[in-house]
């Protein structure tokens, strides 16, 4: 199983990623394991959305799609407002 996830950063921006192990990846983000990562200087972080998907390709495709969305559409996803997402 793979995961798509969205974090809200301390500067109120969003980070979207995918992973095979959500708990481990979140721990890496919180610990600042990778200094080059977008979230490194934007901690603390809060998980605001996650969804399990069947394959890495599905997760990667979902990540790319969501990264291309506007902030408003990302907020609609967080809120579960499917009408705003599909509009």
């Amino acid at each position: 199983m793979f995961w798509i996830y969205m974090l809200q950063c301390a500067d109120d921006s969003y980070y979207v990623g995918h992973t095979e192990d959500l708990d481990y990846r979140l721990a890496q983000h919180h610990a600042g394991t990778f200094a080059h990562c977008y979230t490194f200087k934007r901690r603390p972080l809060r998980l605001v959305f996650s969804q399990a998907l069947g394959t890495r390709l599905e997760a990667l495709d979902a990540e790319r799609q969501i990264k291309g969305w506007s902030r408003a559409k990302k907020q609609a996803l967080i809120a579960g407002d499917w009408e705003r997402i599909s509009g």
Side-chain angles (χ1 to χ4, degrees):
M1 180 178 342
F2 294 85
W3 293 88
I4 180 75
Y5 65 95
M6 188 176 347
L7 302 174
Q8 185 173 21
C9 302
D11 65 0
D12 206 32
S13 65
Y14 294 114
Y15 174 84
V16 179
H18 78 281
T19 185
E20 187 172 6
D21 186 336
L22 184 59
D23 291 333
Y24 182 70
R25 186 67 181 113
L26 292 176
Q28 289 178 316
H29 280 294
H30 290 300
T33 302
F34 303 107
H36 67 279
C37 185
Y38 178 84
T39 61
F40 182 79
K41 292 183 178 178
R42 293 172 172 86
R43 294 174 288 157
L45 310 163
R46 184 169 63 97
L47 178 67
V48 293
F49 175 81
S50 65
Q51 180 180 353
L53 297 166
T55 68
R56 183 178 301 278
L57 184 56
E58 288 174 321
L60 181 59
D61 286 346
E63 176 186 350
R64 288 178 178 154
Q65 180 181 26
I66 294 168
K67 280 184 173 180
W69 288 357
S70 67
R71 179 175 182 81
K73 199 165 183 175
K74 289 175 186 172
Q75 290 172 327
L77 178 64
I78 294 164
D81 187 343
W82 307 117
E83 187 174 311
R84 280 182 34 213
I85 293 169
S86 61

XYZ file of all heavy atoms in Angstrom:
718
model
N 0.852 -1.185 0.000
C 0.000 0.000 0.000
C 0.892 1.241 0.000
O 1.947 1.277 0.621
C -0.896 -0.005 1.234
C -1.800 1.171 1.308
S -2.970 1.285 2.694
C -3.076 -0.339 3.341
N 0.425 2.251 -0.686
C 1.133 3.522 -0.774
C 0.198 4.630 -0.325
O -1.016 4.468 -0.306
C 1.625 3.760 -2.203
C 2.661 2.769 -2.612
C 2.296 1.537 -3.125
C 3.999 3.049 -2.448
C 3.249 0.606 -3.478
C 4.966 2.121 -2.794
C 4.582 0.897 -3.309
N 0.798 5.750 0.022
C 0.040 6.864 0.580
C 0.329 8.147 -0.180
O 1.470 8.409 -0.557
C 0.431 7.091 2.043
C 0.031 5.978 2.929
C 0.751 4.852 3.216
C -1.189 5.855 3.648
N 0.045 4.050 4.061
C -1.149 4.643 4.354
C -2.316 6.666 3.780
C -2.186 4.209 5.164
C -3.347 6.246 4.582
C -3.286 5.024 5.274
N -0.695 8.958 -0.349
C -0.569 10.343 -0.751
C -0.870 11.142 0.515
O -1.757 10.772 1.284
C -1.533 10.697 -1.905
C -1.390 12.157 -2.327
C -2.974 10.413 -1.547
C -0.189 12.430 -3.120
N -0.125 12.204 0.767
C -0.347 12.979 1.986
C -0.090 14.446 1.741
O 0.634 14.828 0.819
C 0.526 12.458 3.133
C 2.007 12.620 2.909
C 2.690 13.721 3.409
C 2.729 11.678 2.191
C 4.047 13.881 3.207
C 4.087 11.817 1.987
C 4.740 12.923 2.486
O 6.083 13.086 2.280
N -0.703 15.271 2.589
C -0.494 16.714 2.531
C -0.222 17.218 3.942
O -0.936 16.868 4.884
C -1.718 17.428 1.949
C -1.460 18.896 1.699
S -2.805 19.852 0.895
C -3.935 18.677 0.277
N 0.824 18.011 4.048
C 1.194 18.626 5.315
C 0.935 20.123 5.242
O 1.186 20.753 4.205
C 2.685 18.411 5.601
C 3.179 16.981 5.663
C 4.700 16.951 5.798
C 2.521 16.231 6.793
N 0.479 20.682 6.341
C 0.403 22.134 6.461
C 1.636 22.559 7.239
O 1.907 22.046 8.329
C -0.860 22.567 7.177
C -1.010 24.073 7.214
C -2.355 24.499 7.776
O -3.018 23.748 8.474
N -2.741 25.715 7.465
N 2.381 23.470 6.664
C 3.632 23.919 7.260
C 3.400 25.116 8.183
O 2.343 25.751 8.150
C 4.612 24.314 6.159
S 4.976 22.977 5.000
N 4.404 25.436 8.988
C 4.310 26.552 9.932
C 4.054 27.882 9.222
O 3.439 28.777 9.796
C 5.583 26.635 10.768
N 4.512 28.014 7.973
C 4.278 29.255 7.224
C 2.938 29.232 6.482
O 2.671 30.077 5.646
C 5.432 29.530 6.257
C 5.546 28.492 5.153
O 4.733 27.537 5.104
O 6.468 28.620 4.315
N 2.110 28.227 6.788
C 0.769 28.049 6.232
C 0.780 27.585 4.783
O -0.256 27.584 4.122
C -0.079 29.313 6.395
C -1.561 28.998 6.444
O -1.932 27.912 6.947
O -2.359 29.817 5.955
N 1.927 27.161 4.266
C 1.972 26.567 2.934
C 1.664 25.074 3.056
O 1.607 24.532 4.167
C 3.352 26.781 2.296
O 4.345 26.096 3.033
N 1.455 24.439 1.913
C 1.162 23.009 1.888
C 2.273 22.257 1.176
O 2.840 22.743 0.196
C -0.162 22.728 1.183
C -1.355 23.274 1.912
C -2.124 24.291 1.365
C -1.721 22.784 3.160
C -3.222 24.801 2.033
C -2.815 23.291 3.846
C -3.553 24.295 3.269
O -4.636 24.802 3.943
N 2.549 21.079 1.675
C 3.506 20.170 1.044
C 2.759 18.886 0.724
O 2.063 18.335 1.580
C 4.678 19.864 1.984
C 5.611 18.830 1.428
C 6.621 19.187 0.553
C 5.465 17.483 1.757
C 7.480 18.231 0.023
C 6.311 16.523 1.230
C 7.314 16.906 0.366
O 8.151 15.956 -0.170
N 2.898 18.409 -0.497
C 2.243 17.175 -0.926
C 3.321 16.158 -1.278
O 4.293 16.479 -1.963
C 1.338 17.427 -2.154
C 0.674 16.134 -2.609
C 0.298 18.495 -1.850
N 3.145 14.935 -0.803
C 4.099 13.883 -1.103
C 3.423 12.528 -1.163
O 2.226 12.399 -0.937
N 4.222 11.520 -1.499
C 3.731 10.150 -1.470
C 4.794 9.272 -0.835
O 5.978 9.613 -0.834
C 3.353 9.657 -2.871
C 4.514 9.255 -3.715
N 5.307 10.158 -4.373
C 5.038 8.037 -3.986
C 6.254 9.523 -5.036
N 6.108 8.225 -4.814
N 4.370 8.155 -0.278
C 5.287 7.277 0.428
C 4.696 5.879 0.558
O 3.482 5.698 0.435
C 5.608 7.834 1.836
O 6.597 7.006 2.451
C 4.374 7.893 2.716
N 5.551 4.936 0.861
C 5.095 3.576 1.137
C 4.825 3.393 2.633
O 4.038 2.542 3.026
C 6.158 2.574 0.674
C 5.716 1.147 0.764
C 6.698 0.182 0.120
O 7.787 0.615 -0.303
O 6.364 -1.010 0.053
N 5.481 4.197 3.464
C 5.333 4.075 4.922
C 5.035 5.460 5.495
O 5.952 6.243 5.755
C 6.614 3.499 5.520
C 6.515 3.203 7.006
O 5.678 3.824 7.702
O 7.288 2.361 7.475
N 3.765 5.749 5.690
C 3.342 7.089 6.094
C 3.919 7.495 7.447
O 4.452 8.598 7.582
C 1.815 7.182 6.113
C 1.232 8.556 6.421
C 1.687 9.602 5.416
C -0.289 8.488 6.474
N 3.831 6.632 8.437
C 4.328 6.983 9.769
C 5.825 7.298 9.746
O 6.277 8.279 10.351
C 4.054 5.861 10.772
C 2.573 5.708 11.082
O 1.832 6.703 10.959
O 2.165 4.595 11.441
N 6.586 6.488 9.042
C 8.035 6.692 8.956
C 8.355 8.003 8.236
O 9.197 8.781 8.683
C 8.686 5.506 8.245
C 10.182 5.604 8.139
C 10.987 5.483 9.269
C 10.787 5.817 6.914
C 12.369 5.570 9.175
C 12.172 5.903 6.808
C 12.956 5.787 7.940
O 14.324 5.874 7.847
N 7.660 8.256 7.130
C 7.925 9.471 6.359
C 7.549 10.720 7.159
O 8.276 11.725 7.128
C 7.155 9.438 5.039
C 7.502 10.596 4.125
C 8.940 10.494 3.640
N 9.269 11.618 2.783
C 10.152 12.565 3.097
N 10.816 12.522 4.234
N 10.380 13.556 2.268
N 6.434 10.661 7.881
C 6.057 11.807 8.717
C 7.099 12.056 9.794
O 7.443 13.212 10.075
C 4.678 11.582 9.342
C 3.505 11.589 8.377
C 2.211 11.267 9.114
C 3.396 12.899 7.625
N 7.608 10.992 10.393
C 8.659 11.133 11.406
C 9.890 11.806 10.798
O 10.520 12.652 11.448
C 9.013 9.778 12.000
N 10.240 11.451 9.563
C 11.377 12.093 8.888
C 11.121 13.589 8.700
O 12.016 14.408 8.931
C 11.628 11.440 7.531
C 12.205 10.048 7.617
C 12.388 9.444 6.245
O 11.508 9.541 5.383
N 13.530 8.823 6.023
N 9.920 13.936 8.261
C 9.587 15.361 8.085
C 9.694 16.106 9.414
O 10.307 17.177 9.487
C 8.167 15.524 7.540
C 8.029 15.320 6.074
N 8.589 16.154 5.132
C 7.362 14.370 5.366
C 8.279 15.736 3.927
N 7.530 14.654 4.035
N 9.100 15.551 10.455
C 9.105 16.219 11.767
C 10.517 16.364 12.335
O 10.829 17.375 12.974
C 8.209 15.475 12.756
C 6.745 15.599 12.449
N 6.075 16.799 12.410
C 5.818 14.653 12.169
C 4.805 16.594 12.108
N 4.624 15.305 11.953
N 11.358 15.372 12.092
C 12.725 15.397 12.614
C 13.657 16.260 11.775
O 14.756 16.596 12.212
C 13.275 13.969 12.684
N 13.237 16.628 10.571
C 14.111 17.396 9.690
C 15.246 16.560 9.144
O 16.370 17.034 8.995
N 14.964 15.316 8.839
C 15.985 14.370 8.384
C 16.704 14.843 7.128
O 17.900 14.633 6.990
C 15.338 12.985 8.136
O 14.723 12.555 9.350
C 16.365 11.966 7.689
N 15.982 15.485 6.221
C 16.580 15.907 4.953
C 16.615 17.431 4.884
O 15.585 18.087 4.707
C 15.788 15.331 3.779
C 15.689 13.830 3.825
C 14.491 13.210 4.154
C 16.801 13.049 3.579
C 14.396 11.833 4.211
C 16.727 11.670 3.636
C 15.523 11.056 3.953
N 17.797 18.004 4.984
C 17.951 19.462 5.027
C 17.499 20.133 3.732
O 17.132 21.305 3.741
C 19.397 19.822 5.323
N 17.504 19.413 2.624
C 17.102 19.991 1.338
C 15.591 19.933 1.105
O 15.101 20.515 0.151
C 17.817 19.262 0.197
C 17.386 17.833 0.055
N 17.899 16.830 0.852
C 16.471 17.256 -0.751
C 17.313 15.685 0.523
N 16.448 15.914 -0.446
N 14.869 19.265 1.974
C 13.429 19.090 1.795
C 12.689 20.417 2.040
O 13.061 21.200 2.917
C 12.906 18.016 2.745
S 11.153 17.634 2.506
N 11.632 20.635 1.284
C 10.808 21.839 1.394
C 10.373 22.097 2.833
O 10.320 23.243 3.281
C 9.578 21.685 0.486
C 8.622 22.847 0.535
C 8.831 23.973 -0.246
C 7.506 22.827 1.372
C 7.953 25.050 -0.204
C 6.620 23.896 1.424
C 6.860 25.004 0.636
O 6.003 26.069 0.688
N 10.075 21.045 3.567
C 9.521 21.195 4.918
C 10.571 21.488 5.987
O 10.214 21.859 7.104
C 8.742 19.929 5.329
O 9.636 18.805 5.323
C 7.576 19.679 4.385
N 11.838 21.337 5.675
C 12.893 21.441 6.685
C 12.822 22.747 7.484
O 12.864 22.733 8.713
C 14.271 21.290 6.039
C 15.406 21.330 7.026
C 15.722 20.208 7.774
C 16.157 22.478 7.213
C 16.760 20.225 8.691
C 17.195 22.511 8.118
C 17.501 21.380 8.862
N 12.711 23.863 6.801
C 12.685 25.176 7.473
C 11.262 25.656 7.741
O 11.056 26.795 8.152
C 13.424 26.211 6.638
C 14.908 25.953 6.560
C 15.625 27.021 5.796
C 17.117 26.740 5.778
N 17.853 27.741 5.008
N 10.293 24.790 7.515
C 8.885 25.181 7.677
C 8.199 24.367 8.777
O 6.991 24.219 8.768
C 8.162 25.013 6.347
C 8.646 25.992 5.291
C 8.042 25.671 3.925
N 8.344 26.708 2.959
C 9.456 26.757 2.243
N 10.392 25.838 2.396
N 9.642 27.733 1.374
N 8.963 23.809 9.673
C 8.405 23.056 10.802
C 7.984 24.021 11.896
O 8.563 25.109 11.988
C 9.456 22.065 11.328
C 9.774 20.991 10.310
C 10.897 20.085 10.751
N 12.163 20.829 10.668
C 13.252 20.534 11.358
N 13.283 19.525 12.179
N 14.333 21.246 11.231
N 7.003 23.680 12.726
C 6.331 22.386 12.818
C 5.327 22.177 11.686
O 4.884 23.120 11.034
C 5.624 22.429 14.172
C 5.404 23.882 14.436
C 6.561 24.600 13.774
N 4.988 20.918 11.493
C 4.118 20.479 10.412
C 2.893 19.793 10.984
O 2.934 19.254 12.084
C 4.876 19.492 9.520
C 6.248 19.956 9.050
C 7.069 18.786 8.555
C 6.106 21.019 7.985
N 1.836 19.811 10.188
C 0.614 19.126 10.610
C 0.071 18.347 9.421
O -0.113 18.910 8.330
C -0.410 20.154 11.081
C -1.685 19.560 11.645
C -2.530 20.625 12.341
N -2.987 21.674 11.451
C -4.195 21.702 10.878
N -5.069 20.753 11.109
N -4.526 22.709 10.098
N -0.190 17.066 9.626
C -0.805 16.241 8.594
C -2.259 16.670 8.452
O -3.020 16.631 9.413
C -0.725 14.756 8.971
C -1.367 13.785 7.990
C -0.605 13.769 6.664
C -1.411 12.383 8.595
N -2.649 17.104 7.244
C -4.011 17.574 7.029
C -4.799 16.687 6.072
O -6.025 16.798 5.990
C -4.045 19.046 6.542
C -3.563 19.981 7.643
C -3.233 19.236 5.266
N -4.111 15.805 5.350
C -4.797 14.894 4.440
C -3.904 13.702 4.168
O -2.697 13.846 3.999
C -5.128 15.590 3.110
C -5.720 14.660 2.083
C -7.056 14.327 2.127
C -4.930 14.106 1.101
C -7.602 13.452 1.201
C -5.454 13.232 0.168
C -6.802 12.910 0.212
N -4.510 12.525 4.102
C -3.813 11.329 3.633
C -4.826 10.368 3.042
O -5.995 10.359 3.440
C -3.035 10.653 4.772
O -3.913 10.163 5.760
N -4.356 9.598 2.074
C -5.223 8.610 1.440
C -4.359 7.444 0.998
O -3.295 7.633 0.394
C -5.942 9.212 0.238
C -6.858 8.241 -0.469
C -7.563 8.864 -1.659
O -7.484 10.059 -1.904
N -8.266 8.037 -2.404
N -4.816 6.246 1.289
C -4.125 5.032 0.862
C -4.485 4.734 -0.587
O -5.643 4.882 -0.996
C -4.526 3.866 1.755
N -3.480 4.321 -1.343
C -3.675 3.943 -2.738
C -2.987 2.598 -2.977
O -2.080 2.216 -2.228
C -3.121 5.015 -3.671
C -3.813 6.377 -3.558
C -2.999 7.452 -4.237
C -5.203 6.306 -4.148
N -3.389 1.910 -4.024
C -2.915 0.556 -4.248
C -1.498 0.418 -4.772
O -0.807 -0.546 -4.445
N -1.040 1.375 -5.583
C 0.284 1.245 -6.188
C 1.063 2.552 -6.072
O 0.473 3.626 -5.883
C 0.188 0.885 -7.690
O -0.365 2.008 -8.404
C -0.665 -0.358 -7.917
N 2.373 2.435 -6.228
C 3.220 3.630 -6.215
C 2.849 4.560 -7.368
O 2.834 5.781 -7.208
C 4.700 3.255 -6.294
C 5.604 4.476 -6.206
C 7.083 4.145 -6.226
N 7.502 3.289 -5.153
C 7.790 3.689 -3.908
N 7.655 4.968 -3.594
N 8.183 2.841 -3.003
N 2.542 3.996 -8.513
C 2.184 4.821 -9.665
C 0.917 5.627 -9.390
O 0.849 6.814 -9.720
C 2.006 3.966 -10.917
C 1.715 4.718 -12.207
C 2.804 5.753 -12.503
C 1.571 3.747 -13.365
N -0.088 5.017 -8.770
C -1.309 5.753 -8.407
C -0.985 6.885 -7.437
O -1.502 7.998 -7.572
C -2.327 4.818 -7.762
C -2.982 3.848 -8.721
C -3.870 2.848 -8.010
O -3.515 2.375 -6.915
O -4.938 2.540 -8.564
N -0.132 6.606 -6.464
C 0.244 7.623 -5.476
C 1.025 8.759 -6.137
O 0.778 9.936 -5.848
C 1.053 6.992 -4.350
N 1.945 8.419 -7.016
C 2.737 9.436 -7.705
C 1.846 10.292 -8.609
O 1.977 11.520 -8.645
C 3.849 8.785 -8.515
C 4.775 9.726 -9.274
C 5.467 10.704 -8.333
C 5.809 8.922 -10.058
N 0.923 9.655 -9.326
C -0.003 10.403 -10.175
C -0.868 11.352 -9.346
O -1.093 12.499 -9.729
C -0.900 9.451 -10.970
C -0.175 8.766 -12.122
O 0.937 9.204 -12.482
O -0.725 7.774 -12.645
N -1.356 10.872 -8.194
C -2.176 11.716 -7.316
C -1.356 12.880 -6.776
O -1.837 14.020 -6.706
C -2.749 10.888 -6.167
N -0.105 12.613 -6.386
C 0.776 13.683 -5.892
C 0.951 14.764 -6.951
O 0.799 15.955 -6.666
C 2.138 13.111 -5.510
C 3.134 14.169 -5.088
C 4.533 13.625 -4.835
O 4.720 12.394 -4.803
O 5.444 14.452 -4.671
N 1.263 14.363 -8.162
C 1.471 15.327 -9.246
C 0.208 16.143 -9.514
O 0.273 17.347 -9.745
C 1.912 14.605 -10.513
C 3.318 14.098 -10.434
C 3.697 13.357 -11.687
N 5.084 12.902 -11.640
C 5.531 11.871 -12.311
N 4.736 11.167 -13.088
N 6.809 11.521 -12.217
N -0.941 15.469 -9.494
C -2.197 16.167 -9.742
C -2.471 17.203 -8.660
O -2.760 18.361 -8.961
C -3.350 15.162 -9.808
C -4.683 15.818 -10.072
C -5.829 14.815 -10.103
O -5.764 13.755 -9.500
N -6.879 15.156 -10.816
N -2.362 16.804 -7.402
C -2.667 17.708 -6.288
C -1.671 18.854 -6.225
O -2.042 19.994 -5.947
C -2.728 16.930 -4.956
C -3.915 15.950 -4.981
C -2.845 17.881 -3.768
C -3.911 14.942 -3.852
N -0.401 18.589 -6.514
C 0.593 19.668 -6.516
C 0.240 20.750 -7.528
O 0.589 21.912 -7.340
C 1.990 19.109 -6.811
C 2.638 18.480 -5.613
C 4.059 18.039 -5.922
C 4.732 17.558 -4.647
N 6.113 17.126 -4.899
N -0.460 20.392 -8.588
C -0.848 21.358 -9.608
C -2.096 22.149 -9.276
O -2.459 23.075 -10.006
N -2.749 21.790 -8.190
C -3.990 22.463 -7.807
C -3.720 23.798 -7.133
O -2.673 24.018 -6.532
C -4.786 21.604 -6.846
C -5.430 20.404 -7.451
C -5.439 20.029 -8.764
C -6.169 19.402 -6.752
N -6.135 18.860 -8.918
C -6.603 18.459 -7.702
C -6.503 19.219 -5.411
C -7.354 17.352 -7.349
C -7.257 18.109 -5.066
C -7.684 17.196 -6.034
N -4.724 24.651 -7.185
C -4.660 25.927 -6.468
C -4.750 25.667 -4.968
O -5.165 24.585 -4.529
C -5.842 26.809 -6.888
O -7.074 26.230 -6.429
N -4.396 26.670 -4.203
C -4.511 26.578 -2.737
C -5.962 26.306 -2.334
O -6.231 25.495 -1.463
C -3.996 27.866 -2.104
C -4.100 27.883 -0.586
C -3.463 29.137 -0.002
N -3.544 29.087 1.429
C -2.729 28.410 2.225
N -1.752 27.697 1.702
N -2.873 28.426 3.537
N -6.910 26.975 -3.006
C -8.327 26.794 -2.681
C -8.779 25.358 -2.918
O -9.534 24.793 -2.122
C -9.176 27.762 -3.506
N -8.302 24.761 -3.989
C -8.682 23.385 -4.288
C -8.053 22.421 -3.277
O -8.682 21.450 -2.858
C -8.282 23.028 -5.714
C -9.001 21.830 -6.254
C -8.854 21.755 -7.756
C -9.638 20.594 -8.308
N -9.633 20.545 -9.759
N -6.824 22.696 -2.859
C -6.189 21.874 -1.820
C -6.974 21.985 -0.514
O -7.178 20.983 0.184
C -4.734 22.306 -1.607
C -3.825 21.929 -2.759
C -2.429 22.482 -2.560
C -1.566 22.214 -3.785
N -0.276 22.888 -3.698
N -7.428 23.187 -0.188
C -8.224 23.366 1.030
C -9.562 22.646 0.924
O -10.065 22.113 1.915
C -8.412 24.861 1.317
C -7.121 25.516 1.757
C -7.209 27.020 1.867
O -7.932 27.681 1.121
N -6.464 27.582 2.806
N -10.139 22.594 -0.271
C -11.376 21.845 -0.472
C -11.135 20.356 -0.249
O -11.963 19.664 0.349
C -11.925 22.100 -1.875
N -9.987 19.852 -0.698
C -9.643 18.449 -0.469
C -9.514 18.178 1.025
O -10.057 17.182 1.532
C -8.336 18.101 -1.185
C -7.823 16.676 -0.994
C -8.797 15.666 -1.600
C -6.444 16.527 -1.621
N -8.840 19.046 1.733
C -8.678 18.901 3.186
C -10.045 18.864 3.871
O -10.277 18.061 4.767
C -7.803 20.037 3.759
C -6.374 19.917 3.230
C -7.823 20.040 5.279
C -5.531 21.182 3.409
N -10.952 19.723 3.419
C -12.293 19.811 4.001
C -13.216 18.696 3.531
O -14.311 18.529 4.079
C -12.897 21.174 3.676
N -12.793 17.945 2.517
C -13.655 16.903 1.969
C -14.812 17.460 1.169
O -15.858 16.832 1.039
N -14.631 18.649 0.610
C -15.663 19.314 -0.185
C -15.527 18.876 -1.635
O -14.920 19.553 -2.461
C -15.511 20.838 -0.042
C -16.639 21.609 -0.708
O -17.355 21.041 -1.543
O -16.789 22.798 -0.373
N -16.119 17.738 -1.960
C -15.940 17.121 -3.274
C -16.558 17.973 -4.392
O -16.071 17.939 -5.519
C -16.526 15.712 -3.266
C -15.970 14.912 -2.124
C -16.664 14.398 -1.084
C -14.601 14.590 -1.881
N -15.800 13.768 -0.191
C -14.532 13.870 -0.672
C -13.414 14.841 -2.558
C -13.340 13.403 -0.129
C -12.228 14.368 -2.020
C -12.192 13.666 -0.819
N -17.568 18.750 -4.080
C -18.188 19.615 -5.080
C -17.187 20.673 -5.548
O -17.063 20.944 -6.732
C -19.434 20.272 -4.485
C -20.238 21.053 -5.504
C -21.541 21.574 -4.923
O -22.265 20.788 -4.303
O -21.806 22.780 -5.111
N -16.471 21.285 -4.619
C -15.460 22.313 -4.979
C -14.280 21.689 -5.682
O -13.667 22.319 -6.549
C -14.989 23.056 -3.734
C -15.954 24.120 -3.290
C -15.502 24.923 -2.087
N -14.100 25.163 -1.957
C -13.458 25.255 -0.786
N -14.121 25.133 0.353
N -12.160 25.483 -0.739
N -13.938 20.458 -5.350
C -12.798 19.796 -5.973
C -13.097 19.496 -7.441
O -12.256 19.703 -8.316
C -12.422 18.496 -5.220
C -11.891 18.841 -3.852
C -11.396 17.682 -6.015
C -11.739 17.648 -2.932
N -14.287 19.022 -7.707
C -14.636 18.621 -9.065
C -15.027 19.800 -9.962
O -15.146 19.654 -11.154
C -15.769 17.598 -9.056
O -16.922 18.143 -8.472
N -15.206 20.972 -9.344
C -15.642 22.148 -10.104
C -14.540 22.900 -10.771
O -13.413 22.633 -10.828
